[in-house]
């Protein structure tokens, strides 16, 4: 679960990034409109948090540019400007949510979680795959009601795969969603992580499709 | 429009006055000139007649005189025709025209009669005559003879009157023509002012933002000034809104940072900071939204379509409340036009519909209609109701009071209604809360209609 935060106020960017990282997200931060636009354009994110009052290129133009070039990543606008006129123009500009500053971190987290979940086509906060149960709101996965102890990386990978149901996910797709911008990307880690998840959830939890990628076990097909 | 203060009417009336006065003077002058001319011709004729008679006079050899021939003009023969001649010596009449019959012509003042000018005398039947008399000393005649030729004054008067009548007719026609031309000229001359008026009403009707078109040099400065004023007004609002936005940006970022940092402070102190920050934020939001209001001071030409604002808000709220799957119904909003600023209406309805969304069970109805208020003014009546829990009757009043919150868990419900009330009051509308038949709260607004 990878998130881009575009916010010029470094302190706020740091706080938001910190709060999201605690919840298991990988967070990239951009401090101006141009950098933000570039990252959103070239990297893969599950959600983007975008401030409107940005130096360089204003948030609304950044958003419109992304939408015009076909990016469908869910975008949440963060803005100190809370008039309805600004909310309407932000949402009409293609945003999926609008949060006025100041906000409570819990609210931000809940809404980001909802954005990502909706994007992957899941209506509820709880996603079940066989015995495994993902609680996106609580950032936890349990088997038979017992919480599974996972590292941040493991959680990210498992949650991303569970949210995407029976879709086949390529290795590079998985890497895009669990690695941050400045992290060393090693394709072998995916295999290592997959093996660790199989140990924790059972060997049939993840199927390898040779040459294509991985797929989480489709619980319905199995039943 | 020809109101008493209308420039056109003033110009037409003053022009009418001087045209009538001038033509009246001209008429009198012409009549006077014509009369002089006619009199001169009349006198010429009398003079000729005298000359003719003098030429016909011949001494009879005994100191007397006789005419070798008498004037043949029948007017001198026809009795009492008004045309007479008479030759006398002192008081004795030597010979006179037959038309004079037994009467005689008397010069009231022989001294004066000696002058060559014609004079007025009273003839037979007291008819005024214009007479010319000459005192002639003929050779072979004893005393000077007095030749008098007279014609009726009424002939002159009739001619003058006829001329005067004709002249009056012609001058009246001329007057009417002049007035028509003047009216056209005034209309043409004042056309830029009418264009100014049209241009202004376009702005009032919201069809234009600036006065457009070519205006002559005399009107141009007014147009320029008005445009500058309109620009300034629009700019003022724009600046106020930009400033409110900048201030929001400047205040809320630090507020957010402090709030997040305070999360690290546990217990009562942390709660205190949190609560205080929250109330600061409430105040900032309220004051900033007030600063953004255009209100009636910027009303020139402001018109806002209710349905397009509601469409924008419904679109936005459906995104913001996606998970709730709310049903937002609209009815009767088409063709409603609010007489006021678009952003004000967005803020008003945004707050109220947002509130309804927060509380609704699943359905929100937004209905509108056009009504006449008690003063007969047309107004837009909007009702926003939800199927939520509603507000107990005894609390309805308290809800509208400043900063009152019904439920601390639903942030901004109090402030939203406060902002809405501010906006409604600014436009002289009303905001009423009641219980909806849907179960929840019903907010009924009346706003000025364009």
């Amino acid at each position: 679960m990878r998130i881009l935060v575009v916010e010029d106020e470094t302190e706020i960017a740091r706080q938001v990034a910190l709060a999201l990282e605690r919840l298991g997200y990988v967070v990239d931060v951009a401090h101006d409109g141009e950098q933000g636009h570039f990252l959103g354009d070239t990297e893969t994110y599950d959600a983007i948090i975008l401030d409107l009052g940005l130096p360089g290129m204003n948030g609304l133009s950044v958003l419109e540019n992304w939408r015009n070039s076909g990016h469908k990543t869910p975008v949440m606008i963060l803005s100190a400007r809370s008039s309805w006129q600004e909310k309407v123009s932000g949402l009409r500009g293609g945003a999926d949510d609008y949060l006025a500053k100041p906000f409570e971190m819990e609210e931000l987290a809940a809404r980001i979680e909802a954005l990502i979940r909706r994007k992957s086509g899941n209506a509820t906060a709880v996603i079940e795959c066989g015995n495994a149960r993902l609680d996106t709101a609580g950032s936890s996965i349990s088997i038979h009601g017992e919480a599974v102890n996972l590292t941040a990386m493991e959680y990210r990978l498992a949650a991303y795969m569970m949210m995407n149901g029976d879709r086949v996910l390529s290795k590079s797709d998985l890497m895009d969603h669990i690695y941050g911008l400045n992290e060393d990307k090693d394709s072998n880690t995916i295999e290592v992580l997959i093996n660790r998840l199989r140990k924790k959830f059972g060997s049939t939890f993840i199927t390898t499709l040779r040459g294509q990628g991985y797929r989480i076990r489709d619980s319905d097909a199995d039943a | 429009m020809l109101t008493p203060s209308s420039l056109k009417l003033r110009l037409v009336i003053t022009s009418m006055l001087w045209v009538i006065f001038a033509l009246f003077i001209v008429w009198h002058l012409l009549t006077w000139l014509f009369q002089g001319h006619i009199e001169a011709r009349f006198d010429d004729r009398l003079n000729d007649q005298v000359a003719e008679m003098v030429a016909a006079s011949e001494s009879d050899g005994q100191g007397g005189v006789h005419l070798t021939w008498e004037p043949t003009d029948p007017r001198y023969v026809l009795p009492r025709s008004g045309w007479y001649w008479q030759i006398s010596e002192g008081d004795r009449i030597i010979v006179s025209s037959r038309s004079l019959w037994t009467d005689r012509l008397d010069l009231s003042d022989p001294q004066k009669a000696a002058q060559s000018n014609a004079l007025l005398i009273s003839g037979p039947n007291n008819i005024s005559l214009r007479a010319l008399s000459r005192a002639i000393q003929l050779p072979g005649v004893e005393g000077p003879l007095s030749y008098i030729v007279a014609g009726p004054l009424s002939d002159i008067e009739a001619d003058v009157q006829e001329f005067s009548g004709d002249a009056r007719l012609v001058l009246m026609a001329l007057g009417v023509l002049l007035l028509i031309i003047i009216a056209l000229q005034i209309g043409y001359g004042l056309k830029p002012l009418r264009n100014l008026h049209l241009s202004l009403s376009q702005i009032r009707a919201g069809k234009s933002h600036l006065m457009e078109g070519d205006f002559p040099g005399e009107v141009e400065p007014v147009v320029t000034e008005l445009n500058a004023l309109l620009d300034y007004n629009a700019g003022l609002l724009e600046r106020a809104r930009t400033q409110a936005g900048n201030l929001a940006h400047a205040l809320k970022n630090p507020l957010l940072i402090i709030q997040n940092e305070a999360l690290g402070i546990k217990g009562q102190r942390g709660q205190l900071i949190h609560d205080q920050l929250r109330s600061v934020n409430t105040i900032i939001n309220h004051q900033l939204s007030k600063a953004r209001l255009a209100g009636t001071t910027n009303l020139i030409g402001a018109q806002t379509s209710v349905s397009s604002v509601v469409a924008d808000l419904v679109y936005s709220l459906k995104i913001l409340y996606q998970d709730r799957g709310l049903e937002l119904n609209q009815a009767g909003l088409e063709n409603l036009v609010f007489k006021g600023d678009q952003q004000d209406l967005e803020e008003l309805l945004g707050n109220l519909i947002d509130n309804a969304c927060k509380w609704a069970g699943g359905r929100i109805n937004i209905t509108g209609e056009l009504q006449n208020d008690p003063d007969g003014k047309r107004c837009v009546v909007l009702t926003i109701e939800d199927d939520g829990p509603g507000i107990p009757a005894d609390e309805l009043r308290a809800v509208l009071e400043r900063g009152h919150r019904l439920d601390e868990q639903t942030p901004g419900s109090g402030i939203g209604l406060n902002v809405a009330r501010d906006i409604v009051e600014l436009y002289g509308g009303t905001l009423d809360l009641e219980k909806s038949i849907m179960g929840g709260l019903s907010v009924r607004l009346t706003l000025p209609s364009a």
Side-chain angles (χ1 to χ4, degrees):
Chain A
M1 302 287 110
R2 193 174 169 200
I3 294 173
L4 172 65
V5 174
V6 189
E7 164 67 70
D8 63 316
E9 184 64 54
T10 50
E11 193 53 41
I12 292 174
R14 189 189 64 81
Q15 288 174 342
V16 169
L18 195 67
L20 291 174
E21 275 162 4
R22 277 189 190 142
L23 293 169
Y25 296 100
V26 193
V27 181
D28 290 339
V29 175
H31 292 295
D32 64 60
E34 274 149 16
Q35 193 196 358
H37 177 245
F38 175 75
L39 287 179
D41 210 21
T42 53
E43 297 290 320
T44 310
Y45 293 101
D46 294 290
I48 298 174
I49 295 174
L50 178 68
D51 184 21
L52 281 189
L54 292 170
M57 186 176 180
N58 95 49
L60 207 54
S61 326
V62 172
L63 175 59
E64 277 163 359
N65 272 335
W66 284 335
R67 294 299 185 235
N68 287 340
S69 36
H71 294 295
K72 294 200 174 95
T73 317
V75 171
M76 172 194 277
I77 289 177
L78 269 197
S79 176
R81 290 151 212 254
S82 56
S83 77
W84 278 97
Q85 192 251 339
E86 283 149 338
K87 284 183 196 171
V88 166
S89 70
L91 293 166
R92 284 267 188 213
D96 301 273
D97 204 353
Y98 194 107
L99 192 57
K101 291 177 185 173
F103 50 84
E104 313 270 343
M105 277 303 171
E106 289 91 9
E107 193 180 3
L108 175 78
R111 290 171 113 173
I112 280 292
E113 178 270 312
L115 271 190
I116 295 173
R117 180 164 48 74
R118 274 203 303 268
K119 174 72 191 325
S120 59
N122 295 290
T124 57
V126 174
I127 298 160
E128 288 186 7
C129 288
N131 301 329
R133 186 184 153 94
L134 166 68
D135 178 4
T136 57
S139 304
S140 66
I141 302 176
S142 57
I143 297 179
H144 299 303
E146 265 182 59
V148 181
N149 196 15
L150 297 167
T151 66
M153 221 42 146
E154 287 165 3
Y155 171 75
R156 258 178 241 158
L157 185 62
Y160 180 68
M161 293 187 80
M162 286 175 82
M163 276 193 193
N164 284 288
D166 55 353
R167 261 182 64 209
V168 177
L169 304 162
S170 71
K171 209 184 268 183
S172 67
D173 187 10
L174 291 175
M175 288 207 307
D176 281 343
H177 287 273
I178 64 170
Y179 277 115
L181 194 60
N182 303 318
E183 286 173 280
D184 283 336
K185 288 173 193 168
D186 180 359
S187 60
N188 291 328
T189 13
I190 295 293
E191 283 163 25
V192 174
L193 284 171
I194 295 276
N195 283 331
R196 293 222 296 253
L197 287 180
R198 279 183 177 142
K199 269 181 205 157
K200 290 184 181 177
F201 290 93
S203 56
T204 55
F205 186 60
I206 296 165
T207 318
T208 308
L209 290 111
R210 219 159 284 283
Q212 294 181 60
Y214 303 94
R215 187 174 63 184
I216 209 124
R217 193 186 60 177
D218 191 350
S219 53
D220 295 332
D222 206 37
Chain B
M1 253 193 305
L2 291 181
T3 54
S5 60
S6 138
L7 282 180
K8 197 167 175 178
L9 189 69
R10 283 166 180 234
L11 289 171
V12 166
I13 284 176
T14 47
S15 308
M16 202 141 77
L17 288 177
W18 74 253
V19 163
I20 288 171
F21 179 72
L23 289 177
F24 187 75
I25 298 285
V26 167
W27 176 55
H28 271 277
L29 202 66
L30 278 179
T31 306
W32 180 73
L33 284 174
F34 181 77
Q35 188 168 4
H37 180 73
I38 287 286
E39 279 171 0
R41 293 251 329 258
F42 197 88
D43 291 354
D44 280 354
R45 212 151 87 201
L46 295 179
N47 221 2
D48 288 350
Q49 197 60 44
V50 170
E52 201 178 312
M53 282 167 50
V54 171
S57 300
E58 204 175 41
S59 162
D60 60 359
Q62 298 153 14
V65 71
H66 73 99
L67 293 175
T68 51
W69 44 270
E70 286 191 9
T72 51
D73 191 327
R75 286 182 296 185
Y76 293 110
V77 179
L78 201 66
R80 303 275 195 270
S81 71
W83 292 88
Y84 310 106
W85 54 264
Q86 171 185 299
I87 303 169
S88 57
E89 184 186 9
D91 282 343
R92 186 176 64 90
I93 292 170
I94 298 170
V95 61
S96 64
S97 66
R98 251 189 263 172
S99 57
L100 204 50
W101 209 245
T102 54
D103 286 317
R104 55 177 293 164
L105 298 174
D106 274 319
L107 299 179
S108 49
D109 185 359
Q111 216 62 34
K112 213 171 160 191
Q115 294 161 3
S116 61
N117 289 336
L119 66 158
L120 287 181
I121 59 171
S122 180
N125 294 353
N126 272 333
I127 290 172
S128 294
L129 300 175
R130 189 173 173 89
L132 196 75
S133 97
R134 289 279 180 272
I136 306 281
Q137 183 70 56
L138 284 177
V141 178
E142 276 175 26
L145 295 177
S146 169
Y147 285 78
I148 304 175
V149 177
L153 195 64
S154 59
D155 268 24
I156 296 178
E157 281 168 349
D159 274 358
V160 169
Q161 237 161 42
E162 197 184 331
F163 173 83
S164 170
D166 287 351
R168 192 171 55 202
L169 220 62
V170 168
L171 287 176
M172 269 162 73
L174 177 66
V176 169
L177 193 69
L178 277 177
L179 285 175
I180 290 172
I181 291 170
I182 284 170
L184 290 176
Q185 182 190 338
I186 289 170
Y188 178 73
L190 293 184
K191 203 174 169 205
L193 289 182
R194 200 165 64 241
N195 290 345
L196 198 75
H197 177 75
L198 285 177
S199 198
L200 266 179
S201 47
Q202 288 276 314
I203 290 175
R204 277 222 157 274
K207 288 175 185 150
S208 166
H209 291 294
L210 288 177
M211 305 189 65
E212 283 154 2
D214 287 331
F215 292 98
E218 292 86 344
V219 182
E220 191 71 50
V222 178
V223 173
T224 313
E225 283 302 311
L226 273 174
N227 275 339
L229 196 65
L230 289 169
D231 248 0
Y232 175 76
N233 258 4
L236 215 59
L237 180 60
E238 201 53 50
R239 270 200 302 283
R241 286 183 169 159
T242 308
Q243 266 172 12
N246 291 343
L247 195 59
H249 193 71
L251 288 173
K252 289 190 177 175
N253 280 343
L255 212 59
L256 175 58
I257 295 168
I258 297 170
Q259 180 187 296
N260 286 332
E261 286 304 310
L263 288 177
I265 305 169
K266 299 293 170 205
Q268 222 176 351
R269 283 180 62 215
Q271 189 58 44
L272 184 72
I273 294 174
H274 185 262
D275 290 349
Q276 290 302 307
L277 287 176
R278 200 165 166 158
S279 91
V280 167
N281 186 41
T282 304
I283 293 165
I284 291 174
N285 276 339
H286 191 198
Q287 293 304 322
L288 286 181
S289 61
K290 267 172 128 175
R292 295 175 50 85
L293 294 183
T296 43
T297 49
N298 281 282
L299 252 184
I300 299 180
Q303 289 195 347
T304 306
S305 152
V306 173
S307 61
S308 75
V309 165
V310 171
D312 273 345
L313 291 169
V314 165
Y315 173 89
S316 303
L317 287 160
K318 275 190 170 160
I319 294 177
L320 293 175
Y321 290 95
Q322 262 186 73
D323 286 345
R324 301 267 305 278
L326 296 175
E327 189 188 315
L328 287 138
N329 303 311
Q330 303 163 48
L333 301 177
E334 308 79 23
N335 306 327
L336 292 185
V337 182
F338 165 61
K339 189 181 179 189
D341 182 74
Q342 178 173 345
Q343 291 196 26
D344 287 357
L345 186 66
E346 273 173 351
E347 204 60 23
L348 170 63
L349 296 182
N351 279 311
L352 293 176
I353 303 174
D354 186 30
N355 230 15
C357 288
K358 272 176 196 144
W359 292 93
R363 252 176 346 118
I364 290 132
N365 283 356
I366 305 158
T367 49
E369 59 178 324
L370 203 60
Q371 280 187 1
N372 286 331
D373 71 0
D375 301 334
K377 270 194 189 164
R378 291 205 309 166
C379 57
V380 172
V381 178
L382 296 172
T383 310
I384 297 153
E385 45 193 341
D386 62 75
D387 59 353
I391 302 174
D394 52 333
E395 281 190 48
L396 280 176
R397 178 169 283 279
V399 171
L400 278 177
E401 277 162 21
R402 187 161 315 284
H404 178 92
R405 280 161 185 259
L406 272 173
D407 179 359
E408 291 290 330
Q409 300 308 307
T410 307
S413 56
I415 197 82
L417 273 174
N418 269 322
V419 169
R421 185 189 53 184
D422 287 345
I423 297 171
V424 166
E425 275 175 3
L426 205 56
Y427 282 96
T430 61
L431 190 161
D432 297 304
L433 300 178
E434 12 184 298
K435 189 165 175 58
S436 161
I437 49 164
M438 292 167 71
L441 181 66
S442 161
V443 183
R444 188 171 181 276
L445 299 169
T446 58
L447 297 167
S449 167

